[in-house]
Amino acid sequence: MPVEALGDYDDGNVFARILRGDLPCKQVYADEWALAFHDIAPQAPVHVLVIPRGRWRSWADFSAGATDAEIGGYVRAVGHVARMLGLETPGYRLLANAGTEAGQEVPHLHVHLFGGKPLGPMLAG
Ligand code: 5GP
């Protein structure tokens, strides 16, 4: 069910539970700003989610309200994960859904990192 990009943060969302350690994940990387783990329903040979540790619903509130340190730490973590996974040379795709028309389902900011095969057109349909 798609969610709004803005609004109160829901501490019960699935990624908040993963961050607290209440739910397991297949971790790829963690630092003080971000956590990266494999998507539970991968749509490419590599499909990793990178999330900030802060309570941000989407790119919309994060880009407006996060500190420069949070934004810098998060963006660097995304790049670090792509490097770690050896995706810079073959290439990779980043995707962040924000709000209902984008089909965002989890109300905690996340970037999808796809790779491991030619990824085809940017948008389906
Ligand atoms: P969105 O549509 O919000 O951009 O993407 C949410 C993503 O989270 C989906 O690709 C979905 O497969 C993934 N996801 C949902 N629940 C879980 C979970 O419990 N664990 C993991 N690892 N991924 C999840």
Side-chain angles (χ1 to χ4, degrees), residues 36-91:
F37 50 90
H38 291 281
D39 196 288
I40 204 167
Q43 296 187 37
V46 177
H47 184 175
V48 166
L49 300 168
V50 190
I51 69 176
R53 290 195 180 275
R55 299 167 74 253
W56 303 106
R57 270 181 84 94
S58 74
W59 205 267
D61 60 352
F62 183 69
S63 60
T67 64
D68 289 354
E70 281 178 285
I71 292 171
Y74 179 57
V75 171
R76 284 192 191 283
V78 174
H80 182 76
V81 171
R83 270 191 297 283
M84 264 180 65
L85 295 173
L87 292 173
E88 284 186 325
T89 299

Side-chain angles (χ1 to χ4, degrees), residues 15-34:
F15 294 167
R17 294 166 67 197
I18 287 173
L19 278 169
R20 287 197 298 271
D22 295 345
L23 279 181
C25 71
K26 285 171 62 182
Q27 185 175 309
V28 172
Y29 176 74
D31 66 18
E32 74 175 292
W33 303 110

